[in-house]
Amino acid sequence: MGAWLPATNDSIIWAMIIASILPMFFAYLAKFFAEFKTKDNENPREFLAKTTGIASRANAAQQNSYETLPIFLASVIIALLFFVPTVIVSKVAWLYVILRILYGLAYMANWATLRSVLWAVGFACPLFLFYIVIRMS
């Protein structure tokens, strides 16, 4: 992540927005791969629970994306509140987003080991921001 990534609050907020939208993107992919129809919208959770293959894995990526989102958002906000340099917050936030995208793709491709590694490294991003805040306090 080089010069293309501005170290600004706007950039950080965009990373937060994209991270917040990712679960819905994976839900869309799950529905797309499962050939979701208008009538299926009567009970979409039941429909998605019955999917298999790539659609099921995309749905699982969606569900898991919601699990790590609160700690990511909290870590970014706390890092900003405690004046962690924006260059650090921006890089870590975007690294998290990139890793979450790769995680979802690895999940859909059924690459279990890579998926687990990406999840762990992605989860380390918010923990790292908390660590920096603690060290600066």
Side-chain angles (χ1 to χ4, degrees):
M1 288 181 274
W4 62 270
L5 179 64
T8 63
N9 286 333
D10 288 354
S11 174
I12 294 165
I13 292 168
W14 276 111
M16 294 170 73
I17 290 168
I18 292 170
S20 298
I21 292 171
L22 274 176
M24 291 174 272
F25 175 71
F26 290 125
Y28 168 79
L29 290 176
K31 291 174 181 179
F32 174 79
F33 288 120
E35 299 179 2
F36 188 83
K37 304 284 187 266
T38 305
K39 69 174 182 62
D40 298 318
N41 203 39
E42 292 173 3
N43 195 341
R45 290 181 186 202
E46 182 180 318
F47 172 84
L48 288 171
K50 294 177 182 177
T51 60
T52 60
I54 192 170
S56 176
R57 293 189 301 273
N59 185 45
Q62 174 228 167
Q63 293 169 341
N64 188 264
S65 293
Y66 280 120
E67 293 170 359
T68 63
L69 185 60
I71 194 167
F72 166 70
L73 295 174
S75 71
V76 171
I77 292 167
I78 290 171
L80 292 172
L81 287 173
F82 280 82
F83 302 105
V84 173
T86 55
V87 66
I88 294 172
V89 179
S90 182
K91 286 185 180 188
V92 173
W94 280 105
L95 179 61
Y96 172 86
V97 169
I98 291 166
L99 289 167
R100 291 306 301 176
I101 291 168
L102 294 174
Y103 164 84
L105 295 175
Y107 209 137
M108 289 187 302
N110 205 20
W111 297 335
T113 302
L114 177 60
R115 179 189 84 215
S116 295
V117 169
L118 291 167
W119 184 92
V121 177
F123 191 68
C125 291
L127 297 180
F128 180 68
L129 287 176
F130 283 133
Y131 172 77
I132 292 172
V133 169
I134 291 167
R135 297 293 296 170
M136 289 180 61
S137 298

